[in-house]
Every structure is written in C-alpha cells, then in structure tokens.
Amino acid sequence: MASAATASADSGSSRLRAFARLALLIGWFFICVVPHLAARLGGRSRWPRRFLAGTARICGADVRVAGGPAATGTLLIANHVSWLDIPVLAGATGCAFVSKAEIADHPLLKWIADQNATLYVDRADKRAIHGQAQRLREALASGHPLAIFPEGTVGDGGQLLPFKPSLLSAVAPPPDGVAMRPVAIDYHGRASELAWIPGEHGLANFLRILGRARRNPVTVRLLDPLEPTDDRKALARAAHDAVAVALAGGETARPVL
C-alpha cells in the first residue's frame, strides 16, 4: 500500500497520460535530433535549447522568466527540486550544466547531456578538485551560461537546503569576466508535488510527474549578480539568501517563447 505522502503526490496523476506524454517526448526527440546533428556540422547547434524547452512544455511546465538574460560567461547558481528543473532552466536560459559523474553510466542520458555541453564532476574524488575547477573555468569561457545546483541534491520542495561551499570553490574568486547569478526556480507553491519523495523510484517519479493532470506554472527568476569574493562560504550564503528571498516574493515575469 502506498504511503500517505506517496498517495498525496499521486493524486491526479494518470499512467495513461504519462505514457501519452512519453510518446510525445520520443517523437519530439526524433524531430530535433536530425536538424541538431546537421547544425553541428557547421558549428554550434541551437537545437539542444529548443529540445529542452519543448521537453519542459510537454512535461506540463508553463515557464516564464523574470530578470535580464544570462550572458556568456555567467555561472547560474540555482535551487533544485526536480529533474524538471533541467529542461525548465536550460530552455529558459540556454545554459549547460555541471552534473554528477554518475550520469556517464547511463548511455542515452549521457548522449543527450553531451549534446548540451554538460560538464561532469566527480564530487567524491577530492584529488581531482583542482582539475575540475580548471574545466569549469574553461566551460564558462565556451560561449554559453553554465548552471550548478549547489544544494548537491534535490530537496523536498518544502524548504531550501543549504548551499555547499565546496561546489562553488572554482569561482571563489571567479575568473575574470565571469558573473555569478543566483537563480530561483519558482513552482509557485507546488514544488512539494514535484519533488522526489523519499523511497520513490526514479522511474516512478518521472511517470508521476508526466501523468499530472494540471499544468505546472514555473518562473525562472534570474537575480542580480553576486559580488565576487574569495570566501566560498560567504559566496554560498549570499547565493542561498538571494534565492530564498526570491522564492518568498516575486516579480513580473515574461513567457518563454
């Protein structure tokens, strides 16, 4: 029997709707992959952003953006609630991501992530921190924003977890020309419905969110850049506090086209 938390989360979620949306996702993937591979022959492809923006829409997210666009060489420091954050944030900003190295163990997910210039880091390998910091700096100079989730895991949607200073060590202080912008991914009071329930299998979570009857309003709040500092703990606190304040308030947002 499902727990009370699981039963509550499953309310209004249909497996039939989930599989219908899954079929749409597969179709959308094949629509995008051919022009993407053709575009890569001539240089950088814009199709990963289009694919991820479309994925967010198919998954039920109605995304709007508040704040100025993220420029090249910007590190986006965002809260993390769900796997849905990834297509939402990438579709809204065109960012690539800093990801856990474990993604590389999943061939299809890794291939998709590679198309969006994902940077993999092994957080358990303390000896590799210097090299990973250098790779992060190089990625920030590559022509698109880069996003990191410094909570280090998904939250329960009810509270913002502390930001881990170690995940921001490469930008304390930031390289020349790099701006650090906190980002609040705001699900307007529904974050707990999308969060990963303790004990819930990843596939079950994926299908539960795909099967939701009502759509999910999401605002990506791009906040003012942080002051540069060589104190990674102070940087983590400043980013955390900015995101917390933004999630508690709000401002006019524009839709993602």
Side-chain angles (χ1 to χ4, degrees):
M1 181 178 294
S3 68
T6 304
S8 174
D10 283 343
S11 178
S13 183
S14 158
R15 282 296 174 95
L16 180 60
R17 188 180 300 110
F19 286 117
R21 281 180 168 157
L22 180 59
L24 286 174
L25 286 173
I26 293 171
W28 178 236
F29 172 81
F30 284 109
I31 287 171
C32 293
V33 71
V34 173
H36 163 64
L37 294 176
R40 286 192 63 181
L41 296 175
R44 185 180 172 192
S45 170
R46 297 182 182 273
W47 280 94
R49 179 175 184 176
R50 293 169 182 159
F51 169 72
L52 290 165
T55 294
R57 285 193 292 273
I58 291 170
C59 292
D62 294 324
V63 184
R64 300 177 72 87
V65 177
T72 297
T74 300
L75 179 67
L76 304 176
I77 305 172
N79 59 305
H80 197 17
V81 173
S82 165
W83 57 266
L84 191 56
D85 300 338
I86 293 171
V88 163
L89 186 55
T93 68
C95 69
F97 291 93
V98 178
S99 173
K100 293 186 290 187
E102 287 85 344
I103 292 293
D105 296 331
H106 302 273
L108 178 59
L109 288 180
K110 181 180 183 301
W111 186 86
I112 294 173
D114 286 348
Q115 306 316 299
N116 197 48
T118 297
L119 176 66
Y120 304 100
V121 296
D122 185 352
R123 296 170 183 169
D125 188 356
K126 304 303 182 184
R127 297 170 300 177
I129 287 178
H130 178 75
Q132 291 172 2
Q134 180 59 34
R135 287 167 53 218
L136 190 149
R137 292 187 177 96
E138 292 170 355
L140 285 166
S142 66
H144 49 68
L146 187 65
I148 189 168
F149 298 119
E151 289 168 280
T153 185
V154 291
D156 63 5
Q159 62 180 342
L160 184 64
L161 300 176
F163 286 4
K164 296 182 178 180
S166 60
L167 299 182
L168 299 174
S169 58
V171 289
D176 291 342
V178 170
M180 297 171 294
R181 292 185 68 177
V183 179
I185 304 175
D186 185 356
Y187 287 98
H188 300 281
R190 298 183 184 176
S192 60
E193 301 173 20
L194 302 170
W196 203 327
I197 300 168
E200 184 180 30
H201 191 275
L203 179 59
N205 175 269
F206 176 71
L207 292 176
R208 175 168 63 80
I209 292 175
L210 281 189
R212 285 167 53 83
R214 61 180 180 178
R215 297 188 65 79
N216 308 304
V218 191
T219 302
V220 176
R221 304 190 184 280
L222 292 155
L223 308 176
D224 292 338
L226 300 172
E227 290 293 329
T229 177
D230 60 2
D231 184 339
R232 65 185 187 179
K233 292 183 179 179
L235 176 61
R237 283 195 301 270
H240 179 279
D241 291 349
V243 171
V245 168
L247 290 175
E251 59 183 280
T252 302
R254 62 183 186 278
V256 174
L257 301 179

